[in-house]
Amino acid sequence: MNTKKVKTIRTLIVVIVCSIITIGVTVGICCYNYYGYINYKKLYLEDYFDQNEGTNLSTQEKIQKAVKWDADVYTDKLNIQYRDPITKEFITEDKVSNDEAENVNAYYENYVLHLPKYFDINFYKVLTSYYDKETKKTELSVAHYFYFSNINYNQIKDFSPQYIYMTFVDGVGEESDLALQEALDEMSENELSVGNVSSIYYYSLTSSDNQDVLATYSLYDNPRDVYEDDEDEDKSYYIYQNRCAKSYDNNTVFGQTRELTFCVYYINDSDEGDKELINIVEGTFTPELNDEDEILTNEEFKALNSNYKGYNKEFYQDSYNAFIRPKIIKTGLLTFGITLLLCGLLAFIWLYEPKATENAKSKSTKKKR
């Protein structure tokens, strides 16, 4: 075979092999960084949940992002009405001006209840979906949540948001109001705290193989006030979440009755005296109904056009893509450059033929002649 043709074929093979190696390594590294590199997921969640203690987002934005992360679909456009626990007047966009009210200057705007005396309240209905390995079907689960933020820590001495409770009774009207008041009186007299307790919102990142917790992310609050004599200047304040579950008599699930009357209250468990129950706000809630005038099923709720689409705790979506794209491009270019350089060096070694060897062969041929 012609020597020149052999060299051409050899060069072509080397170029193809080096190209495959360069592209393969670059694509492999980029795919690993996108799907498997846990540190990028941690960085994304730190940015998503604004872990720099409220430097970028308002509390309302943080709550909405947290709900969006957890939910398959969600909404805050719900049939809920808040009222003052003393005057029983409903709280609207106009600030409460009655001096006898528990929540003077309170108002409800853009689906957020602002209680200057205590905190702000967001209320969400959240649907999540998961694959059940036993039934081999995708199951749907619905829950209702209160979120407490912009907490006024100066209102109550030694205020601890984990002592914010929520409870409810079936129905609306005088009988339900009386039943709710009787429940509060019973808890107050017996120093009980029967209700759905609040806790710090958090999301835990776990490993895919053994579900070990790799990192935990909470929502930092922007409290309006803190204790003036608080010695711990580095103390962090968080947004709290309360899942509305069972009624006071434990017979009804929140959202599964046509009408209900609820209250959010606080148990002041200070060392200075007995437990004090503070009724902060009351309200009524009516779940969505279908054309048959029945409470929506989970499937019907998921299909509503008025809902917002969430991430259902999945990474591979628009928010994650926007965050990681610049990092993937940077890593890909760097990997491509380094791999191309190494493959070029390898190709040079494969194709290199010392001239000294060729000259030696030429002289040897002449001597034989």
Side-chain angles (χ1 to χ4, degrees):
M1 186 180 289
N2 189 298
T3 304
K4 189 174 182 180
K5 189 174 182 180
V6 171
K7 286 184 177 181
T8 302
I9 295 174
R10 183 182 175 190
T11 302
L12 184 61
I13 292 173
V14 170
V15 170
I16 292 174
V17 170
C18 289
S19 298
I20 292 174
I21 292 174
T22 302
I23 296 173
V25 170
T26 302
V27 172
I29 292 295
C30 289
C31 288
Y32 171 73
N33 284 336
Y34 182 77
Y35 291 103
Y37 189 46
I38 198 66
N39 284 340
Y40 276 164
K41 289 183 171 63
K42 289 181 179 179
L43 288 174
Y44 164 71
L45 291 174
E46 287 177 7
D47 177 76
Y48 186 86
F49 289 112
D50 195 24
Q51 295 300 281
N52 294 321
E53 299 210 23
T55 56
N56 299 318
L57 303 176
S58 68
T59 54
Q60 305 306 321
E61 290 172 319
K62 293 177 190 177
I63 292 170
Q64 185 177 25
K65 292 189 73 172
V67 173
K68 186 173 184 177
W69 174 256
D70 292 336
D72 190 337
V73 297
Y74 66 97
T75 186
D76 57 355
K77 299 175 182 178
L78 298 161
N79 302 319
I80 188 170
Q81 288 184 299
Y82 298 96
R83 70 187 185 195
D84 189 86
I86 295 178
T87 65
K88 305 300 181 182
E89 295 177 354
F90 285 105
I91 302 173
T92 64
E93 293 182 355
D94 298 324
K95 291 185 177 181
V96 175
S97 58
N98 190 338
D99 293 336
E100 296 180 358
E102 174 68 21
N103 293 290
V104 179
N105 293 324
Y107 63 100
Y108 182 60
E109 186 177 47
N110 296 326
Y111 306 104
V112 182
L113 178 65
H114 301 277
L115 304 176
K117 188 176 179 180
Y118 296 106
F119 38 66
D120 293 342
I121 299 179
N122 292 70
F123 182 64
Y124 281 93
K125 181 175 181 178
V126 175
L127 180 143
T128 56
S129 60
Y130 62 95
Y131 182 75
D132 192 320
K133 294 181 180 179
E134 294 183 0
T135 62
K136 296 183 179 180
K137 294 181 180 179
T138 299
E139 302 292 342
L140 304 178
S141 176
V142 166
H144 297 78
Y145 293 95
F146 283 112
Y147 291 86
F148 307 108
S149 62
N150 293 327
I151 297 171
N152 184 352
Y153 283 88
N154 262 340
Q155 177 58 35
I156 301 174
K157 181 63 178 175
D158 298 325
F159 183 74
S160 298
Q162 66 264 30
Y163 294 125
I164 301 173
Y165 291 84
M166 174 271 172
T167 193
F168 69 94
V169 296
D170 290 351
V172 297
E174 293 184 5
E175 290 187 7
S176 298
D177 292 345
L178 181 60
L180 182 64
Q181 188 59 52
E182 289 177 350
L184 292 172
D185 292 341
E186 181 180 356
M187 287 188 288
S188 182
E189 291 173 4
N190 298 305
E191 295 189 356
L192 300 173
S193 51
V194 180
N196 305 290
V197 67
S198 301
S199 60
I200 296 173
Y201 170 87
Y202 72 92
Y203 167 72
S204 294
L205 175 65
T206 58
S207 59
S208 57
D209 49 358
N210 52 16
Q211 295 298 300
D212 288 340
V213 176
L214 304 177
T216 300
Y217 305 91
S218 299
L219 301 179
Y220 289 107
D221 190 18
N222 299 324
R224 288 195 297 266
D225 296 290
V226 295
Y227 302 128
E228 296 176 357
D229 58 349
D230 195 342
E231 297 178 356
D232 188 1
E233 296 181 356
D234 297 327
K235 181 178 179 180
S236 296
Y237 298 90
Y238 299 96
I239 293 172
Y240 280 73
Q241 177 191 65
N242 188 305
R243 178 173 181 174
C244 311
K246 294 292 187 70
S247 60
Y248 180 76
D249 58 12
N250 212 34
N251 290 330
T252 307
V253 176
F254 194 98
Q256 295 303 309
T257 181
R258 292 179 63 88
E259 295 176 318
L260 60 86
T261 302
F262 68 88
C263 71
V264 174
Y265 62 96
Y266 178 74
I267 299 294
N268 189 7
D269 192 13
S270 65
D271 297 332
E272 299 176 358
D274 297 332
K275 291 183 179 180
E276 178 189 8
L277 188 151
I278 302 173
N279 190 5
I280 295 176
V281 69
E282 296 177 355
T284 60
F285 174 70
T286 304
E288 306 91 334
L289 303 177
N290 58 23
D291 294 337
E292 285 74 35
D293 205 30
E294 296 177 349
I295 297 173
L296 292 181
T297 64
N298 293 348
E299 290 76 11
E300 289 173 332
F301 172 69
K302 184 177 181 179
L304 290 178
N305 294 327
S306 58
N307 291 334
Y308 301 107
K309 180 63 180 174
Y311 297 141
N312 206 39
K313 298 180 181 178
E314 293 290 340
F315 280 96
Y316 312 116
Q317 28 74 13
D318 55 353
S319 174
Y320 180 70
N321 293 341
F323 174 82
I324 203 172
R325 187 179 295 113
K327 294 177 174 54
I328 295 295
I329 293 174
K330 182 179 179 180
T331 302
L333 290 175
L334 184 62
T335 303
F336 182 82
I338 294 175
T339 308
L340 185 63
L341 182 63
L342 293 176
C343 285
L345 180 61
L346 184 61
F348 176 77
I349 295 173
W350 282 345
L351 297 175
Y352 179 69
E353 293 183 359
K355 291 183 178 181
T357 304
E358 294 178 358
N359 293 335
K361 288 181 179 179
S362 178
K363 290 179 181 180
S364 176
T365 303
K366 288 180 180 180
K367 286 181 179 180
K368 288 180 180 180
R369 289 178 180 176

